[in-house]
Amino acid sequence: MEERKEGTPHGSPQGSIISPILANIYLHELDIFVHQLQEKYERGDKRAPNREYYSLAELRRLRLLESGGVWTPEIRELTKQLRSLPSKDTTDPDYVRLKYIRYADDWIAGVTGPKELAERVKDEIQQFLKETLKLELSQEKTRITHARTEEALFLGTRLKIGHTPSREAKVIVTRSWRGRPYRRRATGWQTTLWAPIDKLVARLHAKGFCQADGYPISRSKWIALDANRTITLYNSILHGILNYYRFVDNFAQLRRIQYILHFSLAKTLARKYQISMKKVFCRYGRDLLHRWQTPDGTTREVRFKRNTDWHIDRTAFRTNARDVDLLAWETSMRTRSKLGYPCLVCGATDKVEMHHVRHIRKMGAKKPKGFTAVMARLNRKQVPLCAECHRKVHEGLYDGISLKDLAYEFTASPK
């Protein structure tokens, strides 16, 4: 008898902490398929040089030699034309690239090539999802855009190439990640990331923080809450938005979001205490600082945490410092885990693992037995063991071992 699979109206649980995990498991096949498309369509090692650009560059070089390095009006005009041209052929048919990024069930594909290829890639992915994974593409969210003249929305961020459709280039002074300034040509082809301010304002309006035009209003649902709780909630919303969009190029425009939440909080406190906005700021100050006492007499305070750093930082999503001292980091890791040490019993350096037990001090009056007694005398809750010795410890073969039988003993960890 043939087994039949019936469809179900239920999908993966939305909003659950396991939803991204389930999406990663199920859509792993899509990642493999797109990788196959990359191998199928990508060609060329690099773009072909732009002949017009290098012809002008050679002509400019000859004119500079004739003038003895003096910048004549003709040389200035040639320089202006040169800066307006890309050094590579942007329409090179022999150079094709397919880039793909997926986050849970949201994905975006970038095609360096003709629009026909982008449509073909979309159709093949759509067919694969339908036939293999039994999924349907959202026609409302799935569309093909020209990166230079249109915007693509991915994970709540607007993506495009260049700030304006103009391709006029200029020389700017920028800094390397080490802080060294240098001059470079800005061609206007850099990928830009923008926070959708209008969508964020519309979202705040839907939640009752402002009117449709962004004018702040009080949030009626939070009037009954304590003042400290209200301020904390406003802080969580503000810094949730600012932290998410910290890397965008229009980060300074998020001042509008901060303004809406700041004055919405002030109006909420004004309605709570039936006082004017002026009296709210007189009572709590510009940052709406609120102090209160806990039942044990401790004075606590909370304020509206306004952001003051609005500079652009494209690398703000990084979690580690740029100037990491790798030697100090490795030493710290080894000092903490001792994983870099050889086996405590036989001194082997291959396949070293960590053997863990409950902290000795937390065993109470219970006397440690077996190999745990050895660790108690060493005053350690984790020790490095090779795979073979680790197996023997769990089998009880090292229960009668003494400190003198160990390959070495630990000394105090350096601070």
Side-chain angles (χ1 to χ4, degrees), residues 147-367:
R148 183 66 184 178
T149 59
E150 300 175 283
E151 292 180 340
L153 188 65
F154 181 60
L155 298 179
T157 305
R158 289 174 173 167
L159 311 176
K160 66 176 300 185
I161 293 179
H163 294 272
T164 63
S166 172
R167 298 184 182 181
E168 182 179 355
K170 57 183 179 180
V171 176
I172 63 174
V173 177
T174 186
R175 292 182 179 274
S176 66
W177 66 273
R178 293 182 180 275
R180 180 180 63 85
Y182 65 94
R183 291 165 59 87
R184 69 174 181 87
R185 184 174 70 141
T187 60
W189 285 89
Q190 184 183 19
T191 302
T192 57
L193 310 171
W194 295 80
I197 305 299
D198 53 344
K199 290 183 178 294
L200 294 177
V201 173
R203 183 70 173 171
L204 291 178
H205 167 62
K207 293 295 184 179
F209 293 98
C210 64
Q211 297 177 356
D213 60 353
Y215 185 78
I217 59 176
S218 61
R219 197 165 197 273
S220 304
K221 295 182 180 180
W222 289 353
I223 292 178
L225 299 177
D226 293 337
N228 61 304
R229 176 61 176 162
T230 304
I231 297 174
T232 302
L233 288 173
Y234 272 91
N235 282 335
S236 64
I237 295 174
L238 172 64
H239 288 276
I241 295 175
L242 295 184
N243 290 336
Y244 186 85
Y245 289 107
R246 186 61 187 88
F247 59 90
V248 296
D249 295 310
N250 65 333
F251 183 68
Q253 294 183 14
L254 291 173
R255 285 190 180 99
R256 185 181 182 191
I257 305 301
Q258 178 170 281
Y259 164 80
I260 292 174
L261 293 174
H262 189 190
F263 281 86
S264 175
L265 170 59
K267 291 188 176 184
T268 302
L269 294 176
R271 284 192 59 186
K272 176 180 179 62
Y273 296 111
Q274 297 296 311
I275 58 178
S276 65
M277 288 276 291
K278 181 179 180 180
K279 290 183 179 180
V280 167
F281 284 106
C282 288
R283 178 185 298 183
Y284 295 104
R286 181 183 180 185
D287 292 336
L288 301 177
L289 172 63
H290 173 65
R291 291 188 177 91
W292 76 99
Q293 282 192 342
T294 59
D296 60 358
T298 304
T299 301
R300 303 185 64 182
E301 65 179 35
V302 64
R303 70 179 69 211
F304 183 74
K305 297 180 180 179
R306 295 183 302 110
N307 183 63
T308 57
D309 181 12
W310 298 102
H311 77 279
I312 298 176
D313 186 1
R314 295 289 294 271
T315 61
F317 55 86
R318 294 181 177 177
T319 57
N320 293 329
R322 294 171 179 167
D323 53 347
V324 177
D325 188 340
L326 296 180
L327 180 60
W329 176 80
E330 184 179 2
T331 302
S332 175
M333 290 295 293
R334 289 190 174 189
T335 301
R336 183 171 66 251
S337 69
K338 298 292 186 284
L339 191 57
Y341 280 57
C343 175
L344 179 67
V345 177
C346 66
T349 58
D350 187 34
K351 297 182 180 179
V352 176
E353 305 169 348
M354 294 302 297
H355 175 66
H356 297 262
V357 296
R358 188 180 178 184
H359 203 288
I360 306 301
R361 292 194 301 269
K362 296 181 180 180
M363 290 186 177
K366 185 178 179 180
K367 186 177 180 180

